Amino acid sequence: MTRKREFPLAQVYGLLEPGPVVLVTTARAGRANIMPMSWHTMMEFVPPLVGCVISNLNYTFETLRTTGECVINVPTAELAKMVVACGNVSGQSEDKFKTLGLTPVAASVVKPPLIAECYANLECKVMDRTLVSAYDLFILEVVKAWIDPERKNSKTLHHRGYGRFAIDGRIISLPSRMR
Amino acid sequence: MTRKREFPLAQVYGLLEPGPVVLVTTARAGRANIMPMSWHTMMEFVPPLVGCVISNLNYTFETLRTTGECVINVPTAELAKMVVACGNVSGQSEDKFKTLGLTPVAASVVKPPLIAECYANLECKVMDRTLVSAYDLFILEVVKAWIDPERKNSKTLHHRGYGRFAIDGRIISLPSRMR
């Protein structure tokens, strides 16, 4: 993939633990879709497991439940307007890659495409559906990860509701015994 | 509670959805403990449900499983050193409120105390234990929420691993149809 290189699975938690809004790509019958998501958490370091809540009102829910595959793409602050636009239309009626001017790139393990413009991409498979019907909670395993090595410390977006976001500011580093 | 006022439960998601590191207080046999946590996600708007992964290697795990109650406290960036220090010692051997110089304040519904120094405090009860044994995943219901009205847009901390944090920077607001 252009410019991107494989990212160690054991370091994936450092991308999602800080709580960035992400874009989830799914695909069904050869057609890809994109959905912004902020309700996710790391659940295990290795293999990296991610819990995410995707409302059954979203078009993505049924696709993910049926296909069991998705890609979590991490956008940077420059893409904020696109992220909000992505949430304002439904994938049922529009081809979001076309509408939003994004570039799909073939993934290596799963069918849904990576979004080239996002600085990190995590190929995922659904590995536990126990709480899908009760809470719309999918537990995903990240099976392959990609990062743009030139944008490793990118500023991400943190949704506070209704289109308000905090953008990453200063980075601090303190001596810690915790991973 | 000094300076703090009750916060509407329907707005709680705006505090946790951006992914801040939080401090979880629990209490057993009259003794309170504190643990930093970054593995959490909103799961429902109203009543606010929060999924959180608390390793069974932590002292907090057993207390939460036994008592079914905790408080999620949201610290601001000024408290970064204390947050890291909190993760570097075990509550089994130390009284963390004393060691860290924090002020416990009685909660209104649950037994564990609120941390006065944190700008928001969410009193929680465990409401689903289905995936506790498989993934250490507790699903909590927020039953009462408090905020410091003078620090509503506080800068929070986003953990990137090993004591590195991104501090909230600029806030942007874009027209959105999504909550």
Side-chain angles (χ1 to χ4, degrees):
Chain A
M1 201 163 62
T2 12
R3 266 193 10 188
K4 289 202 181 143
R5 70 163 180 232
E6 202 173 341
F7 189 66
L9 292 180
Q11 291 174 33
V12 162
Y13 79 96
L15 299 174
L16 294 189
E17 182 171 315
V21 62
V22 297
L23 296 171
V24 178
T25 45
T26 47
R28 188 160 45 158
R31 188 152 160 246
N33 188 27
I34 316 171
M35 185 198 83
M37 174 174 81
S38 281
W39 288 16
H40 59 81
T41 179
M42 285 305 300
M43 293 185 64
E44 184 54 271
F45 289 108
V46 184
L49 300 184
V50 182
C52 59
V53 176
I54 293 175
S55 162
N56 59 42
L57 300 173
N58 284 314
Y59 186 57
T60 292
F61 176 88
E62 201 47 46
T63 310
L64 183 57
R65 200 168 64 156
T66 309
T67 65
E69 295 187 344
C70 68
V71 177
I72 294 177
N73 305 273
V74 190
T76 44
E78 302 79 55
L79 299 175
K81 274 186 190 167
M82 182 277 293
V83 169
V84 171
C86 182
N88 283 344
V89 291
S90 169
Q92 194 148 20
S93 50
E94 302 210 32
D95 177 340
K96 292 208 201 173
F97 274 96
K98 206 172 281 182
T99 312
L100 302 169
L102 295 172
T103 316
V105 176
S108 76
V109 181
V110 301
K111 288 223 179 73
L114 319 175
I115 300 175
E117 286 78 4
C118 289
Y119 88 103
N121 315 86
L122 313 174
E123 302 185 28
C124 299
K125 291 193 177 195
V126 175
M127 61 85 69
D128 192 317
R129 297 161 189 264
T130 310
L131 295 183
V132 169
S133 57
Y135 301 102
D136 298 346
L137 175 73
F138 293 87
I139 300 181
L140 309 173
E141 178 179 340
V142 181
V143 291
K144 187 73 90 173
W146 304 96
I147 203 159
D148 182 340
E150 290 171 28
R151 295 195 291 165
K152 245 190 175 173
N153 288 313
S154 290
K155 288 182 188 304
T156 58
L157 295 158
H158 303 268
H159 194 228
R160 295 190 171 196
Y162 296 103
R164 290 182 69 235
F165 296 89
I167 298 175
D168 284 338
R170 203 156 59 86
I171 305 283
I172 58 170
S173 211
L174 297 164
S176 171
R177 280 190 223 158
M178 293 189 304
R179 175 151 56 165
Chain B
M1 200 165 63
T2 12
R3 267 199 1 194
K4 288 200 182 147
R5 71 163 179 230
E6 203 176 340
F7 188 65
L9 292 180
Q11 291 174 32
V12 162
Y13 79 95
L15 299 174
L16 294 188
E17 182 172 316
V21 61
V22 297
L23 296 170
V24 178
T25 45
T26 47
R28 188 160 45 158
R31 188 154 160 247
N33 189 27
I34 316 172
M35 186 198 83
M37 175 175 79
S38 282
W39 289 15
H40 58 81
T41 179
M42 287 304 300
M43 292 185 65
E44 184 54 270
F45 290 108
V46 185
L49 300 184
V50 181
C52 58
V53 176
I54 293 175
S55 163
N56 59 43
L57 300 172
N58 284 313
Y59 186 57
T60 293
F61 176 89
E62 201 47 45
T63 310
L64 183 57
R65 201 169 62 156
T66 309
T67 65
E69 293 187 344
C70 68
V71 177
I72 294 178
N73 305 273
V74 189
T76 44
E78 302 80 54
L79 299 174
K81 273 186 190 167
M82 181 276 292
V83 169
V84 171
C86 182
N88 283 344
V89 292
S90 169
Q92 195 147 20
S93 51
E94 302 209 33
D95 178 341
K96 292 208 200 174
F97 273 97
K98 207 171 280 181
T99 311
L100 302 169
L102 294 173
T103 317
V105 176
S108 75
V109 181
V110 300
K111 288 223 179 70
L114 319 176
I115 301 176
E117 287 77 4
C118 290
Y119 89 102
N121 314 87
L122 312 174
E123 302 185 29
C124 300
K125 293 194 175 191
V126 175
M127 62 85 69
D128 192 316
R129 297 159 189 265
T130 310
L131 296 183
V132 168
S133 57
Y135 301 102
D136 299 344
L137 175 74
F138 294 87
I139 300 180
L140 310 172
E141 178 178 342
V142 181
V143 291
K144 187 74 90 173
W146 304 96
I147 203 159
D148 182 339
E150 289 171 28
R151 295 195 290 164
K152 245 192 174 172
N153 288 313
S154 290
K155 288 182 189 303
T156 58
L157 295 159
H158 303 268
H159 193 229
R160 294 191 171 195
Y162 295 103
R164 290 182 70 235
F165 296 89
I167 299 175
D168 284 337
R170 202 156 61 85
I171 305 281
I172 57 170
S173 211
L174 297 165
S176 171
R177 278 190 224 157
M178 293 188 305
R179 176 152 56 165

